[in-house]
Amino acid sequence: MSIRRGLDGLMKLFPCPAWCFQCRRFITEELQSPCQSLCLDCVGILPGIEQTYCLACCKQHPFEHCKTVWSDEIGHLRSLFWYQEPLNNWVTQLKYSRNFNAGRVLSELVRLWSLENESYFLKYDFLLTVPLHWRRFLKRGFNQTQYLLSAQNKLKPNTNLIQKIRHTPHQAGKSSREREINLHQSFAVTKKFKGERILLFDDVCTTGQTLKEISRNLMEAGASKIDALVLCKTRGERL
Ligand SMILES: [Zn+2]
Ligand SMILES: [Zn+2]
């Protein structure tokens, strides 16, 4: 018997105790959920978004059927969750305090979503992540959008085809128009596409200006279809 198989056997006999990241309770067998780091009760309170809720106009219909044109480039925007407690806290802890325990929960949620929506990823040739300017990257030490995708293996993210070429102030507190001006000409696409279909991923979407600005560049570079997927969408702010 190999050491590895021996260890696996021991783990089954004496499972490693796991604690829920949110409520800190010991995850007993009855409290187990598909997410290893969260108990069943805490998975149940995650602020998920119904598939029938349209992020463009906030009505109940599929996004594709919406008459509100918020972007000429982006065909579809999907968000896994609302940017609400406890998820917003975990995102903040990951980005600004490098709390990778919080990050692990989030990347596990992305992985679970990718397993439940396997066919979703088959529609795309590229999965691209929103980049950080090198100055922000040096300060943070990692790119959170890449980190969030690290546990899923449905589509390998390509992380160097979009560059943030201009350092811009934080977007928080800015109106949609101010965000648009702030981001103008701040991204560059480093590849010429030949009609490929692209899925663009970001951690948080507020008014969607970042996604729109990048998508405009991707279309100019030859992409034929661009959809966006985000971990969380803020409530109360229209696209
Ligand atoms: Zn819990
Ligand atoms: Zn709509």
Side-chain angles (χ1 to χ4, degrees), residues 53-63 65-68:
Y53 184 92
C54 172
L55 288 172
C57 70
C58 311
K59 290 186 183 141
Q60 288 288 345
H61 56 219
F63 192 96
H65 299 173
C66 190
K67 303 265 186 305
T68 311

Side-chain angles (χ1 to χ4, degrees), residues 42-141:
C42 290
V43 163
I45 57 157
L46 292 177
I49 302 180
E50 301 158 58
Q51 271 226 39
T52 50
Y53 184 92
C54 172
L55 288 172
C57 70
C58 311
K59 290 186 183 141
Q60 288 288 345
H61 56 219
F63 192 96
E64 298 89 326
H65 299 173
C66 190
K67 303 265 186 305
T68 311
V69 181
W70 74 282
S71 163
D72 292 331
E73 290 85 14
I74 298 177
H76 186 262
L77 169 69
R78 195 143 172 195
S79 177
L80 275 53
F81 299 99
W82 289 117
Y83 191 63
Q84 284 180 339
E85 286 186 3
L87 256 108
N88 53 356
N89 296 331
W90 301 340
V91 172
T92 307
Q93 287 164 16
L94 171 67
K95 279 162 79 167
Y96 304 110
S97 311
R98 292 190 203 182
N99 182 339
F100 290 105
N101 288 327
R104 205 167 301 124
V105 181
L106 296 171
S107 65
E108 204 183 334
L109 292 174
V110 174
R111 185 182 70 85
L112 288 171
W113 192 88
S114 78
L115 290 174
E116 284 163 16
N117 297 274
E118 203 159 351
S119 59
Y120 178 82
F121 291 89
L122 300 176
K123 297 183 283 182
Y124 305 99
D125 302 301
F126 286 101
L127 171 59
L128 303 183
T129 51
V130 171
L132 296 177
H133 188 264
W134 65 267
R135 274 169 60 188
R136 189 152 291 151
F137 181 83
L138 281 184
K139 193 170 170 208
R140 191 167 293 166

Side-chain angles (χ1 to χ4, degrees), residues 77-78 80 113 120-121 199-202 227-231:
L77 169 69
R78 195 143 172 195
L80 275 53
W113 192 88
Y120 178 82
F121 291 89
L199 180 62
L200 184 59
F201 182 80
D202 204 1
D227 290 334
L229 178 68
V230 296
L231 176 69

Side-chain angles (χ1 to χ4, degrees), residues 6-235:
L7 278 176
D8 284 350
L10 270 176
M11 290 288 281
K12 278 191 190 119
L13 276 175
F14 308 103
C16 197
W19 303 87
C20 173
F21 178 74
Q22 174 63 8
C23 69
R24 307 287 169 192
R25 280 186 301 173
F26 175 57
I27 302 178
T28 55
E29 207 168 322
E30 312 80 73
L31 282 175
Q32 275 176 2
S33 79
C35 181
Q36 276 184 0
S37 322
L38 295 176
C39 74
L40 202 55
D41 293 342
C42 290
V43 163
I45 57 157
L46 292 177
I49 302 180
E50 301 158 58
Q51 271 226 39
T52 50
Y53 184 92
C54 172
L55 288 172
C57 70
C58 311
K59 290 186 183 141
Q60 288 288 345
H61 56 219
F63 192 96
E64 298 89 326
H65 299 173
C66 190
K67 303 265 186 305
T68 311
V69 181
W70 74 282
S71 163
D72 292 331
E73 290 85 14
I74 298 177
H76 186 262
L77 169 69
R78 195 143 172 195
S79 177
L80 275 53
F81 299 99
W82 289 117
Y83 191 63
Q84 284 180 339
E85 286 186 3
L87 256 108
N88 53 356
N89 296 331
W90 301 340
V91 172
T92 307
Q93 287 164 16
L94 171 67
K95 279 162 79 167
Y96 304 110
S97 311
R98 292 190 203 182
N99 182 339
F100 290 105
N101 288 327
R104 205 167 301 124
V105 181
L106 296 171
S107 65
E108 204 183 334
L109 292 174
V110 174
R111 185 182 70 85
L112 288 171
W113 192 88
S114 78
L115 290 174
E116 284 163 16
N117 297 274
E118 203 159 351
S119 59
Y120 178 82
F121 291 89
L122 300 176
K123 297 183 283 182
Y124 305 99
D125 302 301
F126 286 101
L127 171 59
L128 303 183
T129 51
V130 171
L132 296 177
H133 188 264
W134 65 267
R135 274 169 60 188
R136 189 152 291 151
F137 181 83
L138 281 184
K139 193 170 170 208
R140 191 167 293 166
F142 69 103
N143 177 328
Q144 73 278 1
T145 57
Q146 293 171 17
Y147 180 87
L148 291 172
L149 291 172
S150 58
Q152 69 80 34
N153 59 5
K154 294 296 157 212
L155 192 58
K156 192 178 183 318
N158 209 312
T159 55
N160 55 8
L161 300 186
I162 310 164
Q163 286 177 355
K164 183 90 190 280
I165 50 174
R166 192 162 58 77
H167 185 61
T168 48
H170 279 291
Q171 301 272 68
K174 289 189 166 52
S175 70
S176 186
R177 179 75 187 128
E178 285 166 344
R179 285 166 188 253
E180 190 180 343
I181 294 165
N182 186 30
L183 288 170
H184 186 60
Q185 293 186 337
S186 62
F187 294 99
V189 175
T190 60
K191 179 180 164 64
K192 284 276 167 252
F193 293 99
K194 292 179 192 143
E196 283 94 337
R197 299 156 304 172
I198 292 173
L199 180 62
L200 184 59
F201 182 80
D202 204 1
D203 54 343
V204 183
C205 173
T206 305
T207 63
Q209 290 302 337
T210 303
L211 298 170
K212 278 165 76 169
E213 180 63 22
I214 294 176
S215 298
R216 205 175 48 72
N217 286 264
L218 287 168
M219 273 295 182
E220 279 171 17
S224 67
K225 171 188 167 78
I226 300 158
D227 290 334
L229 178 68
V230 296
L231 176 69
C232 326
K233 168 77 185 77
T234 55
R235 263 198 172 172

